[in-house]
Amino acid sequence: MKGGPDFFFEERFRSFDESWSVTLEDIDLDGDLDATVLSGVYLNDGKGVFTQIQKFRYRHYTSTGFAWGDFNQDTLPDLWISQSSRLDPGFNDRIYFNQANGELDAKTISSPDHSMDVAVGDVDGDGDLDAWVATGLSNPDRLWLNDGQGRFTDSGQQLGHHESVAVELVDFDKDGDLDAWVANSRGPSFIYENDGHGKFDAQENAFRFGTNEGAQALVVTDINSDGFPDGIVVRNGFRGGPGVVATWVNLGNNEFRAYQIFSEGYIFGLGAGDFDGDGDSDLWVAKDGPDEIWMSDRFGRYFDIGLRVGDSRSMGVAIGDLDGDNDPDAIVASADGNSSVWINREFPEIQSIRNQNGFIEIRFKGRLYAGRSPKGRFFPVEGASSPYRVSSELSHQFFIAR
């Protein structure tokens, strides 16, 4: 990619309110990904245009985690929202059961532990979805077991005391059950191994990651294409200063190795996706200021391609195909303005360049349409022309192939 990337992200619109969290799920089972942010649930028309169907009354400081799953086994995805507020620590988590008519019926989960994140999966092997809730304020995480009908019982396990901020349930050791990677804001992060029946290692036996600086965000993906899930965390800066992104490679024998440290700044979220279609997992770094796109070399290393997206204080990002063209797009949750939809686009491919009666004629492949530049303004080259007219009103735009 010596000449730079052959793709960019176009901001479709800012249609969501400010949010600290965002997630994607096909809520209405129509084949496209819908969006959930703190202001509510939005249905996708299949082309990346969203319409709100459910309103929530959360503020950005009251909730930081979403997880969709079919909790009551009626084939419809339901929603777990972890709630936290330093202004009101008594907030409880809520489950919204999908009613198939566009309505979500809320039920309260009594977990006033300053919940920061939630991950769902079948941890005890009984065929239904359970929930691991990451909690802050030095409270232990909670594991909730499902009876198959969407009724949850606290397992009673005391899991960590390091102000957890993020959790992922993944089978790290390939033994057929879900283990838990927990990122903590104070102290190191841990992987808790599952015994196959929903019992997890005590913290003193769990695999330890990083230093006492703590972490801000977590994403699990296969960064070196070896079939084993690896981890990427945002490591907090010293005494509240700028943080960095750190990768950990799964060696496949219950061991992990610190691999790479990159990016720097006030980073709040990560998202993984194959943005350039080359078969590996690239990375979206959501931060205070322009977000960064880092590309994978397929062997575990990331490199900066200089692509910057947006200009807001990004708190999180969800990656998925929003417009049905089979490449990953993004929704970015912003704390200082409306959250944004970003569509993955290709730059135009030139078909031919020739001298036509003293003018340079540039022909492009495919149908073209006007779109805003990802990096400021692009102007037509003086003295050049193409088969497509460029009006003065569009001088701040450029043409891309669709």
Side-chain angles (χ1 to χ4, degrees):
M1 196 177 294
K2 295 181 179 180
D6 57 2
F7 71 96
F8 69 97
F9 286 93
E10 175 195 13
E11 186 176 26
R12 171 63 58 81
F13 53 79
R14 298 186 178 187
S15 61
F16 310 112
D17 295 331
E18 64 179 289
S19 179
W20 280 20
S21 306
V22 57
T23 190
L24 296 172
E25 176 70 29
D26 184 7
I27 300 164
D28 52 0
L29 305 182
D30 65 348
D32 55 45
L33 292 174
D34 309 301
T36 306
V37 295
L38 288 185
S39 61
V41 177
Y42 294 76
L43 291 185
N44 188 352
D45 69 352
K47 299 179 181 179
V49 178
F50 292 83
T51 302
Q52 189 176 39
I53 62 163
Q54 178 89 24
K55 289 185 178 181
F56 298 141
R57 294 183 178 179
Y58 303 122
R59 295 185 179 182
H60 65 270
Y61 56 77
T62 64
S63 181
T64 53
F66 302 125
W68 284 93
D70 182 11
F71 301 134
N72 55 1
Q73 303 191 63
D74 64 352
T75 74
L76 298 173
D78 310 302
L79 174 64
W80 186 305
I81 298 183
S82 63
Q83 297 191 68
S84 63
S85 173
R86 293 188 183 274
L87 301 181
D88 183 4
F91 274 37
N92 291 309
D93 289 12
R94 287 187 179 180
I95 299 176
Y96 289 82
F97 288 97
N98 196 333
Q99 302 300 302
N101 58 357
E103 297 292 329
L104 297 175
D105 182 28
K107 302 294 183 183
T108 297
I109 292 289
S110 181
S111 59
D113 292 329
H114 198 76
S115 301
M116 298 297 295
D117 193 23
V118 57
V120 300
D122 182 10
V123 301
D124 54 1
D126 65 352
D128 54 41
L129 295 178
D130 311 300
W132 183 302
V133 176
T135 60
L137 298 182
S138 299
N139 293 310
D141 292 0
R142 290 199 182 192
L143 178 65
W144 295 86
L145 300 179
N146 190 351
D147 68 354
Q149 301 300 313
R151 295 184 292 263
F152 289 84
T153 303
D154 190 344
S155 70
Q157 298 182 61
Q158 302 291 303
L159 300 162
H161 295 83
H162 286 274
E163 298 199 16
S164 303
V165 294
V167 58
E168 295 272 3
L169 293 176
V170 180
D171 184 7
F172 290 102
D173 51 7
K174 296 284 189 177
D175 64 350
D177 55 44
L178 294 176
D179 311 301
W181 185 320
V182 178
N184 299 306
S185 63
R186 296 179 183 271
S189 300
F190 293 91
I191 284 185
Y192 297 88
E193 187 174 356
N194 190 348
D195 70 354
H197 304 286
K199 297 291 185 181
F200 288 84
D201 284 337
Q203 181 171 292
E204 56 268 22
N205 298 324
F207 192 92
R208 173 174 174 159
F209 294 86
T211 66
N212 290 329
E213 294 172 347
Q216 180 69 33
L218 164 69
V219 66
V220 173
T221 185
D222 183 5
I223 68 174
N224 58 353
S225 306
D226 66 350
F228 284 91
D230 311 299
I232 308 174
V233 298
V234 176
R235 198 173 73 189
N236 291 338
F238 180 68
R239 292 183 177 177
V244 295
V245 177
T247 64
W248 291 82
V249 171
N250 188 344
L251 301 180
N253 54 358
N254 290 326
E255 294 185 13
F256 288 75
R257 182 177 66 190
Y259 204 67
Q260 183 184 7
I261 294 176
F262 58 94
S263 190
E264 184 178 9
Y266 292 97
I267 305 168
F268 300 101
L270 300 169
D274 184 10
F275 300 133
D276 56 356
D278 65 351
D280 54 34
S281 185
D282 309 309
L283 191 67
W284 186 301
V285 179
K287 59 195 305 186
D288 188 359
D291 293 358
E292 299 173 355
I293 308 299
W294 288 73
M295 307 307 294
S296 171
D297 68 358
R298 196 173 300 185
F299 302 105
R301 293 283 177 181
Y302 287 92
F303 57 96
D304 187 3
I305 59 175
L307 182 55
R308 301 295 182 262
V309 182
D311 57 3
S312 63
R313 188 186 184 200
S314 301
M315 301 303 297
V317 59
I319 306 297
D321 180 13
L322 303 179
D323 58 352
D325 63 353
N326 297 316
D327 57 34
D329 311 300
I331 296 182
V332 176
S334 172
D336 59 4
N338 291 337
S339 301
S340 301
V341 176
W342 294 89
I343 300 299
N344 192 336
R345 298 293 192 198
E346 293 182 0
F347 283 111
E349 183 179 355
I350 296 176
Q351 179 173 294
S352 64
I353 303 176
R354 65 177 181 172
N355 186 327
Q356 180 71 13
N357 298 324
F359 292 92
I360 299 174
E361 182 182 82
I362 304 175
R363 293 185 177 272
F364 299 93
K365 295 182 179 180
R367 183 163 63 91
L368 303 187
Y369 76 104
R372 290 190 178 276
S373 160
K375 294 183 182 179
R377 297 185 174 186
F378 281 63
F379 295 90
V381 178
E382 185 177 356
S385 67
S386 81
Y388 307 93
R389 295 184 60 186
V390 180
S391 69
S392 59
E393 289 79 10
L394 295 179
S395 62
H396 66 290
Q397 297 180 324
F398 70 115
F399 287 108
I400 58 179
R402 173 176 261 170

